[in-house]
Amino acid sequence: MLIGLLTAVAASICYGTGSVLQAVGSRRAARMSPTAAGVTAHGGPNLSSTAKAAMTWEFIVGTILDFVGFGLGALAARLLPLFLSQTVISANLVITAVLSVKMLGIRLSRKEWTSIGVVCTALVLLATAAGHEGGHHAPMSTHWWLLGITLLLMVGGTVAVRLLGGGAAILAGLLSGLGFGALGVGVRILNGVDPFDLTTLLTDPALYAILVAGIGGMYLHTVALQIGSVNGATAALVVGETVLPGAIGVLWLGDASRPGLAWLAVLGFVMAVAGAVAVAWYGKHEGADEGAVTPVPEPVG
């Protein structure tokens, strides 16, 4: 349990730091070149602007940290109940919020700090209440369902963001979170890991769900950082990557709390999600979006 918790905390730090560095890179790319903030006809960032943002050194370092966080998070998903591992990893919201004050010049309100405190308290409750993790086996039909739903979310999300444009930051963050949540579930049920069997691993649909969720989630998160509040987008991501995999872990994979502490686990989980939503809400309405880039449409023709 302790190794799993330390691994999840390290993943959280990597993800939180990476998110802020990626936001810094996205904003710097937009300031340096108007075309870096190119938008579609609906006001959303086009693929060119996203690619240019991804070429800044801040974004590259942030992406490296994301990959490190992915590895650590995958290990945590195998060692801890999903409702605990995903929630601890989602505490990168706290790292993101604190670093954004220094690196993005975002001023957090008292309500935002209070909401962050609620998230931290919730994590303590969850860690106290968490029991053993469930099994790693799921019917092959579940693996195929995971791949199909992941494809639908990532492809549909990309289309929706391009259609909705600049007002889709929270949606993009939520969909990226659902992608990362699917990634956590995929890692948990992946066949061919223990014992290692390359053929079994490569023929498991869950492996390709992990790849689609990772790539699609990273793209949608990048879009969210380009067009909206870094704290709001990250908070929406937290909800997406926490609620669904946590429920799947409890209902289908056998994750459980300590005997007699189910109520504490539920309380901590609800507090964590509510705190994240509060950060998203207050960040959206009390000035957290001031640091976001206002896209400049590309010339027609």
Side-chain angles (χ1 to χ4, degrees), residues 137-149 189 191 204-206:
H137 175 73
M140 187 54 64
S141 59
T142 302
H143 295 230
W144 282 108
W145 272 108
L146 180 65
L147 176 58
I149 292 172
I189 67 175
N191 293 328
D204 189 349

Side-chain angles (χ1 to χ4, degrees), residues 32 59 63 66 70 83 105 126 129 143 175 243 249 252 267 272:
M32 291 176 60
F59 199 98
T63 301
D66 278 346
F70 165 74
F83 70 82
L126 276 171
H143 295 230
L175 290 172
V243 176
W252 286 294
L267 176 62

Side-chain angles (χ1 to χ4, degrees), residues 28-159:
R28 187 166 71 85
R31 288 195 301 268
M32 291 176 60
S33 172
T35 59
V39 298
T40 66
H42 299 276
N46 59 25
L47 291 176
S48 174
S49 69
T50 303
K52 289 177 181 179
M55 292 304 294
T56 61
W57 73 264
E58 295 97 339
F59 199 98
I60 292 171
V61 173
T63 301
I64 292 173
L65 286 174
D66 278 346
F67 279 112
V68 175
F70 165 74
L72 294 170
L75 179 59
R78 302 283 297 193
L79 297 175
L80 297 172
L82 281 175
F83 70 82
L84 178 59
S85 66
Q86 294 301 110
T87 307
V88 172
I89 291 171
S90 73
N92 68 74
L93 169 68
V94 176
I95 307 297
T96 299
V98 173
L99 289 180
S100 67
V101 173
K102 179 68 174 178
M103 301 181 68
L104 296 175
I106 294 175
R107 293 164 56 182
L108 302 181
S109 68
R110 181 176 299 176
K111 292 179 180 178
E112 286 176 284
W113 283 116
T114 300
S115 301
I116 290 171
V118 170
V119 172
C120 293
T121 302
L123 295 178
V124 174
L125 297 181
L126 276 171
T128 302
H132 65 84
E133 79 279 5
H136 303 287
H137 175 73
M140 187 54 64
S141 59
T142 302
H143 295 230
W144 282 108
W145 272 108
L146 180 65
L147 176 58
I149 292 172
T150 302
L151 280 169
L152 180 63
L153 285 174
M154 297 300 97
V155 174
T158 300
V159 173

